[in-house]
Amino acid sequence: MPEIRVTPLGAGQDVGRSCILVSIAGKNVMLDCGMHMGFNDDRRFPDFSYITRNGRLTDFLDCVIISHFHLDHCGALPYFSEMVGYDGPIYMTHPTQAICPILLEDYRKIAVDKKGEANFFTSQMIKDCMKKVVAVHLHQTVQVDDELEIKAYYAGHVLGAAMFQIKVGSESVVYTGDYNMTPDRHLGAAWIDKCRPNLLITESTYATTIRDSKRCRERDFLKKVHEAVERGGKVLIPVFALGRAQELCILLETFWERMNLKAPIYFSTGLTEKANHYYKLFITWTNQKIRKTFVQRNMFEFKHIKAFDRAFADNPGPMVVFATPGMLHAGQSLQIFRKWAGNEKNMVIMPGYCVQGTVGHKILSGQRKLEMEGRQVLEVKMQVEYMSFSAHADAKGIMQLVGQAEPESVLLVHGEAKKMEFLKQKIEQEFRVNCYMPANGETVTLPTSPSIPVGISLGLLKREMAQGLLPDAKKPRLLHGTLIMKDSNFRLVSSEQALKELGLVEHQLRFTCRVHLHDPRKEQETAMRVYSHLKSMLKDHCVQHLPDGSVTVESILIQAAAHSEDPGTKVLLVSWTYQDEELGSYLTSLLKKGLPQAPS
Amino acid sequence: MDPECSQLLPALCAVLADPRQPMADDTCLEKLLDWFKTITEAGSSLLLLQENPCLVELLCHMLKPQDLSSRVLSFSLRLTGVFAAQEDCFQYLQQGELLPRLFGEAGPLGGAAWTAPTVRSGWIQGLRSLARHPSALHFLADCGAVDTIFSLQGDSSLFVASAAGQLLVHILGLSMQGPADGPPSLQAGDWPACAKKIVGHIEESLRSTATPQITQALNVLTTTFGHCHDPWTRVLWVRLSPLVAGLLEKDPVPAAHSLVDLLLSVARSPGLSSSSCGLWETLAQTLSRLSPTQAGPLALGILKLQDCPQALRAQAFAVLLQPLACVLKATAQAPGASGVLDGTVGDFATVDTLLPSKAACVGLLCRTLAHLELLLPLPQRPCPWPQAPLLGAAVTLLQLCQGSASPTSDTGHHLCALLLGCVRVQRAALDFLGTLSQGTGPPELVTEVFAVLLEYLRSPDSSPTVLKKAFQATFRWLLSSPKTPGCWDLDPQALLFLRELLPVLQKRLCSPCWEVRDSGLEFLTQMTGRWGGQAGFRHALLASEVPKLTEQLLRDPESYVRASAVAATGQLSSQGLCISPASPEHPGGQQKSPLSELLHILSTDSEGFPRRAAMHVFTQWLRDSHADVVGDTEEFVAGVLQVASQDLDWEVRAQGLELALVFLEQTLGQPGSPCPYAVTPPVVAPACPLAQALQPLCRVRLFEFAFRALFDCDRPVAQKSCDLLLFLRAKMASSSSPQEARSSPDVASVEAALQRWQAGDQAQPLGDLEPEVVLAVLKSMDLEGLRGALAESSDHVEKSPQSLLQDMLATVGILGENEADCY
């Protein structure tokens, strides 16, 4: 029985490292290859040993698909391809291919810097890994091999994020990755056509949430920054180099412009230049507004935001600084935080999630006395704010996407079990489809009924057309022909053509039946009686009495013979071809009832 | 456990026991468990529980019917196992009936929580930790756990199923440790109860008709024989081998992959392989019963064995070679001319049966090539090694994929149609071809190898990954080309090839794909490093546009390519192959010198890779006494250090310190070069007093850079600087320099500046430093202390157990605000 199998190695009932294995029509695909930032050991990567017990990964997996550049979706990729040994193709969109190595490199540096980790992928490995990437365009159908094809759809969320349709023959799966159904300041909303996949694998981060308008959050953010700057404070915004940073930069840039503010805004590393370069380069991936205004003014050429120098942190007066990394766990953002933490006029705004074990996590959970190295205690007097700008579809958005794609089944990943449970019921009720939510390591198996494409010969079609009415797309029509399977292809042709192609000779198959009649007359007379009887019964058919005494009705042949033992009985030998099977059966039953009494 | 943690623990246990307080971060419980494991490995679990009664209370709390989080329940089961691993603590927990209630039918096993895979996983892991002593075995038998583990082998979760199998292996091993008087007999009567039960289950599974059950049994046995080599395993194998052999009678052979794993595991087991348990016969039979795809891994495994009968090895090698032999046979120009292992290709091995469809054909060929690639470098590889036919097969496959083969037979055409444009086979064949360069081949075949490589490098259809592999294989074949032993020059044939190759490389350096440009540059760097000094190579290279293109690629839009161009330029320049105003081959050249080009990149490139590559080249140039550097080394070092010290990328700053260290060693004299092959630089012998020797270091402002780096926010930079200054201080001690400026005002001002730097205010520069001041400051600094502090990772405070407990407690109640956020 053909089936689709899905096993999450990560993101099954959790929001960790995404890594989902899909088997579809004999093809094996790995969706995303993320890492968990909360662990510092092997647990940060998915356990790839579960992919296959038998043989090499490169032989088992047909391809790896990366939905977007966030590390929880691509962070394990260099490890997987260069250290575990996967040597096959990796697919992602062009912006993801461009941005992914920056984030991987950023993370590598922090891991090595912070922990002096030796067993970590190197820059060369990141490069070698990126060389295995095949970049795809939106809506471009890419043939991975003769049978497997993939297609990317716009997902919003971050620059270059894509949903992927994976198709083998008539079977297909759509994987959403992370997506956003409402446009934000720099990106548009996710969209997919009515592709009716067998299975839709969707993220469910905000499975039970209806998110408030992003405008409110933005207003709130600007208000807080403005207040802090007005009172002469310094504002630190720890960010990762790409993604949210750009969104917030646009926000502040326009606000500064509108309010004519003078306080400097800095971005802490050289990375921003490259990040902004990519936003310019991939302008088609941003939203309509940015694209429209691009000709007059590029949104990513910031007038107010300048490069940060370490010495600026000690400058007097207000300022806003975007610094990496985003969880305050190392490097420049932590250094600036230490300098500014003691002043209550200052503020730190955490625009995203922080894992346990980081200073970001500590201050977000309200800890105000932090022990630093050497038993020093850092008292945090600065204002600490949290603002979630993560761009995921909320419950409404997820339902909207399911409605758009019209899948046969839905599978939830990248969310919490309890919330998934709620959404699962909602989807099942509203769309009358099965919804699954496997935990990591659990396999969901979906039986599929594959439709096998069959080519029809032109001759057969023409003959059909000549015989009947014009075809109607809405009404199925019965078509007779001979099915030929050759070179893994199916074709329906006329039997004559089949015989010709296969070099076969036609055999005639005739059904025969004996009917006993009580009739003492001679055979010829009995045959004559049969002829008369049938002639009267079958007015629409061509009934003939042949010179040799036999009777024919279409292809049916009837001969009368004497019974070898009983001279009072005649045996009627009836034979017909398979084409006239119906008529043959009818005739036989008719004759079995006997002939009408002959006029004496 | 330190008192601070002890104080925090009751509150934490209360939080964990409260179902209304969900844990936001799923890593916390894992880390908490890690911590408990560390504590219990170092001390008594019993004492820990007695001193912290809240822990037992937490475990007891899990028994109450309530809506507990499955994660907390799983954690508690695992934690219980960690504690009960010590026998006295096990008894303690037994007294309270805690263990049977947690792990028996009355516990989660019988409840709704069991539907969560994490709970089942926790249950198994708890038992896995607990099963360390005989009491645990009795407990497992009494509470019926073994039957549950049997059923969990078929769990819907891969993780649970796999852990269940592992646990069975563990329990079997533990129970067999018990009998002290030698290995048990074949009869089950004298086996320990637990072992008897498990072995009985395995036997039953092996007799089953259900493949999943057979697979489970085989996997358990594979792990057992793989991990345990005690005498009892031999008895076990003797007892089970007939059942295993019985699987081969079935058609098709069930669970073939697992069967292969088991047989290889047994064959590798020292006590089993040499015994006469009929293993070799079973292996031979398996080889002949399995399909080529299934038999491949077994054949490879057999050939890797150290001692195994020659006939079996020959059979295995024949299985491995079959697909390639088949390819050669199908494409042979004349019948019977395949030359590869004619004996191995029986009548059955036709293309149609062995390589029926495209998917099967590609899969089998890739696996075969990978297996042979693994086998080739091993000492136990078959001898004689059919190098020439294999070379022929690799070349033929590459030609088939490229469409350049001209098969005459129908099967050859069929293969051609299957493989045309197949990137997977191209990649595998190129890798294999590269590995084959370790051996030699007949000259006409080597010519064919170079021809097919050139074909791939030229072809517009070659994908970037294929091209990269073609470049790699080409380099390996060029390396293997010398005919004269001990001479590394390229032979005439290779030089001829090179002349054809360079125009191709030139074209590839202009490819629109950055991956291709980069692979081309990496190839160029490798080649120049190897043959840059050879006249033939130099001539061919300089006659091409390659050096000019390399120079242009220094301005490539892609940073990876710029970095590779920097490395290539460094290598070309070291060999005098750069186009520069000074180059005799290009007297009219208008380009900047490579040094100024690379310095420009170091100071202006917006990305780290090219800047790091430039630093790497500079350090190498300094080590090798590159002509441009030797002219005015001080100016060079000063210039590079000034730019590197300002760099935003800590790796560039760290490499700046590496360069400083090389300069320091050269200036002060480092006895014995660390690299035996390095060209010995013109070392300034430290005949003069140390202070005088330090003058050049002061002039290049090395110390300001090093002192500033000591307080760098990026730890590796600080560490590197610390090492550098400690090296200098060791020099100081050995030279017993009389000059000191202990109490001069300069010293005081430098020390004050350093203190400010340490406090975070790095604005003030040090100005010109005198060697005496440097020496005095160095002497007074606590560099060892600093090194100790730096040795700890910067997040060691946040990683501490106390910090973990604080974080977990601090998260309580605020989850509503930040929950479910992510990137």
Side-chain angles (χ1 to χ4, degrees), chain B residues 520-560:
Chain B
L521 285 168
E522 285 179 336
F523 176 63
L524 172 67
T525 310
Q526 281 182 311
M527 285 213 301
T528 314
R530 193 74 192 195
W531 298 289
Q534 203 211 343
F537 177 84
R538 296 175 68 85
H539 186 73
L541 189 75
L542 286 170
S544 74
E545 295 281 303
V546 169
K548 192 176 154 200
L549 283 170
T550 309
E551 196 265 337
Q552 284 171 8
L553 289 173
L554 289 172
R555 290 172 290 284
D556 195 275
E558 179 56 51
S559 62
Y560 278 138

Short mmCIF file of all heavy atoms in Angstrom, two decimals, chain B residues 520-560:
data_model
loop_
_atom_site.label_atom_id
_atom_site.label_comp_id
_atom_site.label_asym_id
_atom_site.label_seq_id
_atom_site.Cartn_x
_atom_site.Cartn_y
_atom_site.Cartn_z
N GLY B 520 37.63 26.68 -8.20
CA GLY B 520 38.75 26.89 -9.11
C GLY B 520 39.93 27.52 -8.39
O GLY B 520 41.08 27.10 -8.56
N LEU B 521 39.63 28.51 -7.55
CA LEU B 521 40.72 29.18 -6.81
C LEU B 521 41.37 28.23 -5.80
O LEU B 521 42.59 28.23 -5.62
CB LEU B 521 40.17 30.41 -6.10
CG LEU B 521 39.89 31.62 -7.00
CD1 LEU B 521 39.09 32.68 -6.27
CD2 LEU B 521 41.19 32.23 -7.53
N GLU B 522 40.54 27.43 -5.13
CA GLU B 522 41.10 26.48 -4.17
C GLU B 522 42.03 25.50 -4.88
O GLU B 522 43.10 25.16 -4.37
CB GLU B 522 39.97 25.71 -3.47
CG GLU B 522 39.23 26.54 -2.43
CD GLU B 522 38.10 25.77 -1.77
OE1 GLU B 522 37.59 24.81 -2.37
OE2 GLU B 522 37.72 26.14 -0.64
N PHE B 523 41.61 25.08 -6.07
CA PHE B 523 42.42 24.16 -6.87
C PHE B 523 43.74 24.83 -7.26
O PHE B 523 44.82 24.23 -7.16
CB PHE B 523 41.58 23.78 -8.10
CG PHE B 523 42.29 22.91 -9.09
CD1 PHE B 523 42.71 21.63 -8.75
CD2 PHE B 523 42.54 23.35 -10.39
CE1 PHE B 523 43.35 20.81 -9.67
CE2 PHE B 523 43.17 22.55 -11.32
CZ PHE B 523 43.59 21.28 -10.96
N LEU B 524 43.63 26.08 -7.67
CA LEU B 524 44.84 26.82 -8.08
C LEU B 524 45.82 26.93 -6.89
O LEU B 524 47.03 26.75 -7.05
CB LEU B 524 44.44 28.22 -8.58
CG LEU B 524 45.58 29.17 -8.88
CD1 LEU B 524 46.39 28.69 -10.07
CD2 LEU B 524 45.04 30.58 -9.17
N THR B 525 45.28 27.24 -5.71
CA THR B 525 46.13 27.38 -4.52
C THR B 525 46.85 26.07 -4.23
O THR B 525 48.04 26.05 -3.93
CB THR B 525 45.27 27.79 -3.30
OG1 THR B 525 44.47 28.90 -3.68
CG2 THR B 525 46.11 28.16 -2.11
N GLN B 526 46.09 24.99 -4.33
CA GLN B 526 46.71 23.66 -4.07
C GLN B 526 47.81 23.38 -5.08
O GLN B 526 48.90 22.94 -4.72
CB GLN B 526 45.64 22.57 -4.22
CG GLN B 526 44.74 22.43 -3.01
CD GLN B 526 43.75 21.30 -3.25
OE1 GLN B 526 43.10 21.20 -4.29
NE2 GLN B 526 43.63 20.42 -2.26
N MET B 527 47.52 23.64 -6.34
CA MET B 527 48.50 23.33 -7.38
C MET B 527 49.76 24.19 -7.23
O MET B 527 50.89 23.69 -7.34
CB MET B 527 47.90 23.58 -8.77
CG MET B 527 46.93 22.51 -9.19
SD MET B 527 46.96 22.27 -10.97
CE MET B 527 46.54 23.87 -11.55
N THR B 528 49.54 25.47 -6.96
CA THR B 528 50.69 26.36 -6.84
C THR B 528 51.54 25.97 -5.64
O THR B 528 52.77 26.02 -5.69
CB THR B 528 50.21 27.82 -6.70
OG1 THR B 528 49.22 28.05 -7.69
CG2 THR B 528 51.34 28.79 -6.88
N GLY B 529 50.85 25.61 -4.56
CA GLY B 529 51.60 25.19 -3.37
C GLY B 529 52.48 23.98 -3.66
O GLY B 529 53.56 23.83 -3.10
N ARG B 530 52.00 23.14 -4.55
CA ARG B 530 52.73 21.91 -4.82
C ARG B 530 53.80 22.07 -5.90
O ARG B 530 54.92 21.60 -5.76
CB ARG B 530 51.71 20.86 -5.28
CG ARG B 530 52.24 19.47 -5.31
CD ARG B 530 52.37 18.96 -3.90
NE ARG B 530 53.14 17.74 -3.87
CZ ARG B 530 53.19 16.92 -2.85
NH1 ARG B 530 52.52 17.22 -1.75
NH2 ARG B 530 53.92 15.86 -2.88
N TRP B 531 53.43 22.73 -7.01
CA TRP B 531 54.37 22.75 -8.15
C TRP B 531 54.82 24.17 -8.53
O TRP B 531 55.36 24.37 -9.62
CB TRP B 531 53.72 22.09 -9.37
CG TRP B 531 53.39 20.65 -9.12
CD1 TRP B 531 54.29 19.63 -9.00
CD2 TRP B 531 52.10 20.08 -8.94
NE1 TRP B 531 53.64 18.45 -8.74
CE2 TRP B 531 52.29 18.69 -8.70
CE3 TRP B 531 50.80 20.57 -8.94
CZ2 TRP B 531 51.23 17.82 -8.47
CZ3 TRP B 531 49.77 19.70 -8.73
CH2 TRP B 531 49.97 18.35 -8.49
N GLY B 532 54.53 25.13 -7.62
CA GLY B 532 54.87 26.52 -7.93
C GLY B 532 56.34 26.72 -8.25
O GLY B 532 56.71 27.67 -8.95
N GLY B 533 57.17 25.85 -7.74
CA GLY B 533 58.59 26.03 -7.96
C GLY B 533 59.09 25.33 -9.23
O GLY B 533 60.25 25.48 -9.61
N GLN B 534 58.23 24.60 -9.88
CA GLN B 534 58.68 23.82 -11.03
C GLN B 534 58.54 24.63 -12.32
O GLN B 534 57.51 25.25 -12.58
CB GLN B 534 57.83 22.55 -11.12
CG GLN B 534 58.52 21.45 -11.86
CD GLN B 534 57.53 20.54 -12.58
OE1 GLN B 534 56.34 20.55 -12.28
NE2 GLN B 534 58.04 19.77 -13.51
N ALA B 535 59.61 24.58 -13.12
CA ALA B 535 59.68 25.44 -14.30
C ALA B 535 58.51 25.21 -15.26
O ALA B 535 57.88 26.16 -15.73
CB ALA B 535 61.01 25.21 -15.01
N GLY B 536 58.20 23.94 -15.51
CA GLY B 536 57.14 23.62 -16.47
C GLY B 536 55.82 24.22 -16.04
O GLY B 536 55.09 24.83 -16.83
N PHE B 537 55.52 24.07 -14.77
CA PHE B 537 54.27 24.59 -14.22
C PHE B 537 54.26 26.12 -14.30
O PHE B 537 53.28 26.73 -14.73
CB PHE B 537 54.12 24.13 -12.77
CG PHE B 537 52.90 24.66 -12.09
CD1 PHE B 537 51.68 24.03 -12.24
CD2 PHE B 537 52.97 25.81 -11.30
CE1 PHE B 537 50.54 24.53 -11.61
CE2 PHE B 537 51.84 26.31 -10.68
CZ PHE B 537 50.63 25.66 -10.84
N ARG B 538 55.36 26.71 -13.89
CA ARG B 538 55.46 28.18 -13.89
C ARG B 538 55.24 28.74 -15.29
O ARG B 538 54.50 29.69 -15.48
CB ARG B 538 56.84 28.61 -13.39
CG ARG B 538 57.14 28.24 -11.95
CD ARG B 538 58.57 28.60 -11.61
NE ARG B 538 58.76 30.04 -11.58
CZ ARG B 538 58.52 30.81 -10.53
NH1 ARG B 538 58.09 30.27 -9.42
NH2 ARG B 538 58.71 32.10 -10.58
N HIS B 539 55.87 28.08 -16.20
CA HIS B 539 55.79 28.56 -17.57
C HIS B 539 54.34 28.50 -18.06
O HIS B 539 53.81 29.47 -18.60
CB HIS B 539 56.71 27.70 -18.45
CG HIS B 539 56.80 28.22 -19.85
ND1 HIS B 539 57.50 29.38 -20.16
CD2 HIS B 539 56.25 27.78 -21.01
CE1 HIS B 539 57.39 29.61 -21.46
NE2 HIS B 539 56.63 28.65 -21.99
N ALA B 540 53.74 27.33 -17.85
CA ALA B 540 52.35 27.15 -18.31
C ALA B 540 51.42 28.15 -17.62
O ALA B 540 50.55 28.74 -18.26
CB ALA B 540 51.90 25.73 -18.03
N LEU B 541 51.61 28.34 -16.34
CA LEU B 541 50.72 29.23 -15.59
C LEU B 541 50.88 30.68 -16.03
O LEU B 541 49.91 31.40 -16.25
CB LEU B 541 51.01 29.10 -14.09
CG LEU B 541 50.01 29.82 -13.19
CD1 LEU B 541 48.70 29.04 -13.14
CD2 LEU B 541 50.54 29.96 -11.78
N LEU B 542 52.13 31.09 -16.18
CA LEU B 542 52.36 32.48 -16.54
C LEU B 542 51.93 32.77 -17.97
O LEU B 542 51.63 33.92 -18.31
CB LEU B 542 53.83 32.84 -16.32
CG LEU B 542 54.21 32.99 -14.84
CD1 LEU B 542 55.71 33.11 -14.67
CD2 LEU B 542 53.51 34.19 -14.22
N ALA B 543 51.91 31.72 -18.78
CA ALA B 543 51.46 31.92 -20.16
C ALA B 543 49.94 32.04 -20.22
O ALA B 543 49.38 32.45 -21.23
CB ALA B 543 51.92 30.75 -21.01
N SER B 544 49.27 31.70 -19.12
CA SER B 544 47.81 31.76 -19.12
C SER B 544 47.33 33.06 -18.47
O SER B 544 48.12 33.85 -17.97
CB SER B 544 47.25 30.57 -18.33
OG SER B 544 47.45 30.79 -16.96
N GLU B 545 46.03 33.23 -18.50
CA GLU B 545 45.43 34.43 -17.89
C GLU B 545 45.10 34.20 -16.42
O GLU B 545 44.53 35.07 -15.77
CB GLU B 545 44.12 34.75 -18.63
CG GLU B 545 44.29 35.15 -20.08
CD GLU B 545 44.74 36.59 -20.24
OE1 GLU B 545 44.05 37.47 -19.73
OE2 GLU B 545 45.81 36.82 -20.83
N VAL B 546 45.45 33.01 -15.92
CA VAL B 546 45.01 32.65 -14.57
C VAL B 546 45.50 33.64 -13.50
O VAL B 546 44.71 34.11 -12.67
CB VAL B 546 45.40 31.19 -14.23
CG1 VAL B 546 45.21 30.88 -12.77
CG2 VAL B 546 44.58 30.23 -15.09
N PRO B 547 46.80 34.02 -13.49
CA PRO B 547 47.23 34.96 -12.44
C PRO B 547 46.48 36.29 -12.51
O PRO B 547 46.11 36.84 -11.48
CB PRO B 547 48.72 35.14 -12.73
CG PRO B 547 49.13 33.94 -13.52
CD PRO B 547 47.93 33.57 -14.31
N LYS B 548 46.22 36.74 -13.71
CA LYS B 548 45.52 38.02 -13.86
C LYS B 548 44.08 37.91 -13.33
O LYS B 548 43.59 38.79 -12.62
CB LYS B 548 45.50 38.40 -15.35
CG LYS B 548 45.07 39.81 -15.62
CD LYS B 548 45.17 40.10 -17.10
CE LYS B 548 44.19 41.19 -17.47
NZ LYS B 548 43.92 41.20 -18.89
N LEU B 549 43.45 36.79 -13.69
CA LEU B 549 42.07 36.58 -13.22
C LEU B 549 42.03 36.48 -11.69
O LEU B 549 41.11 36.99 -11.05
CB LEU B 549 41.51 35.29 -13.81
CG LEU B 549 41.06 35.38 -15.27
CD1 LEU B 549 40.75 34.01 -15.80
CD2 LEU B 549 39.81 36.27 -15.35
N THR B 550 43.03 35.83 -11.13
CA THR B 550 43.08 35.70 -9.66
C THR B 550 43.15 37.08 -9.03
O THR B 550 42.45 37.37 -8.05
CB THR B 550 44.32 34.88 -9.25
OG1 THR B 550 44.34 33.68 -10.01
CG2 THR B 550 44.33 34.57 -7.78
N GLU B 551 43.94 37.91 -9.63
CA GLU B 551 44.08 39.28 -9.11
C GLU B 551 42.73 40.00 -9.20
O GLU B 551 42.31 40.70 -8.28
CB GLU B 551 45.17 39.98 -9.93
CG GLU B 551 45.71 41.25 -9.33
CD GLU B 551 45.00 42.48 -9.87
OE1 GLU B 551 44.43 42.42 -10.98
OE2 GLU B 551 44.98 43.49 -9.17
N GLN B 552 42.03 39.76 -10.30
CA GLN B 552 40.72 40.42 -10.45
C GLN B 552 39.70 39.88 -9.45
O GLN B 552 38.84 40.60 -8.97
CB GLN B 552 40.18 40.16 -11.87
CG GLN B 552 40.88 41.01 -12.90
CD GLN B 552 40.50 40.60 -14.33
OE1 GLN B 552 39.63 39.78 -14.54
NE2 GLN B 552 41.22 41.17 -15.29
N LEU B 553 39.83 38.60 -9.14
CA LEU B 553 38.87 38.00 -8.20
C LEU B 553 39.05 38.51 -6.78
O LEU B 553 38.22 38.24 -5.91
CB LEU B 553 38.97 36.46 -8.24
CG LEU B 553 38.42 35.84 -9.53
CD1 LEU B 553 38.72 34.35 -9.58
CD2 LEU B 553 36.93 36.07 -9.66
N LEU B 554 40.12 39.24 -6.53
CA LEU B 554 40.26 39.88 -5.21
C LEU B 554 39.14 40.89 -4.99
O LEU B 554 38.88 41.30 -3.86
CB LEU B 554 41.61 40.59 -5.11
CG LEU B 554 42.86 39.71 -5.01
CD1 LEU B 554 44.12 40.55 -5.11
CD2 LEU B 554 42.86 38.93 -3.71
N ARG B 555 38.49 41.27 -6.07
CA ARG B 555 37.40 42.23 -5.96
C ARG B 555 36.05 41.58 -6.30
O ARG B 555 35.10 42.24 -6.68
CB ARG B 555 37.67 43.42 -6.88
CG ARG B 555 38.82 44.29 -6.39
CD ARG B 555 39.21 45.34 -7.37
NE ARG B 555 39.86 44.80 -8.55
CZ ARG B 555 41.13 44.37 -8.61
NH1 ARG B 555 41.90 44.44 -7.53
NH2 ARG B 555 41.65 43.90 -9.72
N ASP B 556 35.99 40.29 -6.17
CA ASP B 556 34.75 39.55 -6.45
C ASP B 556 33.63 40.01 -5.52
O ASP B 556 33.89 40.34 -4.36
CB ASP B 556 35.02 38.04 -6.24
CG ASP B 556 33.94 37.18 -6.86
OD1 ASP B 556 32.91 36.95 -6.21
OD2 ASP B 556 34.15 36.75 -8.00
N PRO B 557 32.39 40.02 -6.00
CA PRO B 557 31.30 40.42 -5.09
C PRO B 557 31.06 39.42 -3.96
O PRO B 557 30.53 39.78 -2.91
CB PRO B 557 30.08 40.51 -6.00
CG PRO B 557 30.46 39.81 -7.26
CD PRO B 557 31.94 39.87 -7.39
N GLU B 558 31.46 38.19 -4.13
CA GLU B 558 31.22 37.18 -3.10
C GLU B 558 32.42 37.06 -2.18
O GLU B 558 33.55 36.84 -2.63
CB GLU B 558 30.92 35.84 -3.80
CG GLU B 558 30.67 34.68 -2.89
CD GLU B 558 29.55 34.90 -1.90
OE1 GLU B 558 28.43 35.31 -2.31
OE2 GLU B 558 29.80 34.69 -0.70
N SER B 559 32.16 37.20 -0.89
CA SER B 559 33.28 37.26 0.05
C SER B 559 34.07 35.95 0.12
O SER B 559 35.29 35.97 0.32
CB SER B 559 32.78 37.64 1.44
OG SER B 559 31.90 36.66 1.91
N TYR B 560 33.37 34.82 -0.02
CA TYR B 560 34.09 33.55 -0.01
C TYR B 560 35.12 33.51 -1.13
O TYR B 560 36.24 33.03 -0.96
CB TYR B 560 33.12 32.38 -0.22
CG TYR B 560 32.39 31.94 1.03
CD1 TYR B 560 31.04 31.62 1.00
CD2 TYR B 560 33.08 31.81 2.23
CE1 TYR B 560 30.38 31.19 2.13
CE2 TYR B 560 32.42 31.38 3.37
CZ TYR B 560 31.07 31.07 3.32
OH TYR B 560 30.43 30.64 4.44
#
